[in-house]
Amino acid sequence: MAASPTAVGHSLIVTRLRHAGCVFAEDEARLLVAAAHSGSELSEMVDRRVAGFPLEHILGWAEFCGLRIGVAPGVFVPRRRTEFLVHEAAALARQAQAPARRAGARPRTVVVDLCCGSGAIGAALATVLDGVELHAVDIDPGAVRCARANLAAAGGQVYVGDLYQPLPESLRGAIDLLVANAPYVPSDEIALMPPEARDHEARVALDGGPDGLDIQRRVIAEAADWLAPGGNLLVETSKRQAPHSVAAFAAAGLLPLEASSAETAATVVVGSTPAA
Ligand SMILES: C[S@@+](CC[C@H](N)C(=O)[O-])C[C@H]1O[C@@H](n2cnc3c(N)ncnc32)[C@H](O)[C@@H]1O
């Protein structure tokens, strides 16, 4: 049962959250009240939020594409901007599934989410697409534990390890949709990030090396070996880094296209292999 503070207690929580810099203090107070099972748990949750812990780590979940995605402390909190990558990936997959549908067959799409974190992208794709065979990889065992829980309902296989290394060999040349929101913050810009990210998300989830693109470049460089004919790789990047991401796609023999959403300031580069 949720804690039920009096109206005065509720407004004190809102005031404390607002003074701590929470822009959506009313909404956060409502979520914390709904999540706490007792007055003492509620007060401990509010104290942690005021001390700067991310709301999602306190609640144990983040909203992403309308889903509740479980996130444990230290694990990257899925960002709303990444919903754009899901949207673009789903549109490409539906296009690729159209011939099977016209032929009356059940479409099947092999999806791999590299650098999956909590598994948010894969979970969202498995929700909006039919016939998904889902695989996901992360190097952080804590993230893999979250992803396993979040992807269990979709039958997703989650591997721990470095990029493509833990994937079964049978996926080589067989992936229809490869998605990656790899870390892309340049190392010396981590100190400029909000404390919620800098202090509460694992460094390995944020640090993309000197120009931010070390891991993304490795994802792109090997993608052509793993994609099926006509398969697509989508990576999230920033507007500033996009020209470098596009160049990496071209160097890897993938035909790149940049897409962006002004609404969420999201940028995605998509690259495809030639169809069979
Ligand atoms: C920016 S977070 C994105 C997580 C998730 N895709 C999302 O959008 O919510 C990047 C993730 O990449 C993982 N990662 C970093 N280096 C990796 C590597 N070499 N191989 C696999 N995963 C890696 C981190 O542990 C982290 O979970």
Side-chain angles (χ1 to χ4, degrees), residues 204-269:
V204 71
L206 306 173
D207 192 344
D211 72 349
L213 298 178
D214 279 5
I215 298 164
Q216 195 188 99
R217 277 199 199 90
R218 290 176 51 219
V219 170
I220 298 166
E222 275 195 63
D225 275 354
W226 289 88
L227 286 170
N232 290 289
L233 165 67
L234 295 94
V235 299
E236 182 174 298
T237 191
S238 69
K239 196 81 200 149
R240 175 171 54 116
Q241 291 160 312
H244 304 288
S245 305
V246 164
F249 270 76
L254 300 171
L255 197 65
L257 269 178
E258 184 185 327
S260 51
S261 154
E263 195 190 332
T264 55
T267 302
V268 165
V269 178

Side-chain angles (χ1 to χ4, degrees), residues 64 75-79 82 113-121 137-141 143 161-164 179-184 202-207 215 218 236:
F64 185 77
V75 173
F76 185 85
V77 175
R79 309 295 203 256
T82 304
D113 181 358
L114 285 185
C115 299
C116 68
S118 62
I121 298 173
V137 179
D138 202 281
I139 203 161
D140 172 5
D162 182 22
L163 302 184
Y164 300 92
V179 290
N181 179 19
Y184 60 87
R203 175 106 190 177
V204 71
L206 306 173
D207 192 344
I215 298 164
R218 290 176 51 219
E236 182 174 298

Side-chain angles (χ1 to χ4, degrees), residues 18-83:
R18 198 164 282 137
H19 283 162
C22 302
V23 179
F24 303 105
E26 290 275 358
D27 293 340
E28 293 202 9
R30 190 177 37 76
L31 288 167
L32 291 169
V33 167
H37 297 96
S38 66
S40 59
E41 188 182 9
L42 176 60
S43 125
E44 191 250 345
M45 287 170 123
V46 174
D47 287 348
R48 289 174 68 213
R49 184 65 186 125
V50 167
F53 283 83
L55 176 70
E56 294 82 355
H57 287 163
I58 299 170
L59 295 173
W61 56 270
E63 191 186 333
F64 185 77
C65 290
L67 303 173
R68 279 194 179 191
I69 303 292
V71 277
V75 173
F76 185 85
V77 175
R79 309 295 203 256
R80 297 308 281 267
R81 85 169 76 87
T82 304
E83 293 180 353

Side-chain angles (χ1 to χ4, degrees), residues 92-102 105 107-109 129-132:
L92 284 168
R94 282 196 198 99
Q95 214 175 310
Q97 289 180 344
R101 280 187 200 292
R102 278 196 295 273
R108 179 175 164 275
T109 302
L129 292 172
D130 286 336
V132 165

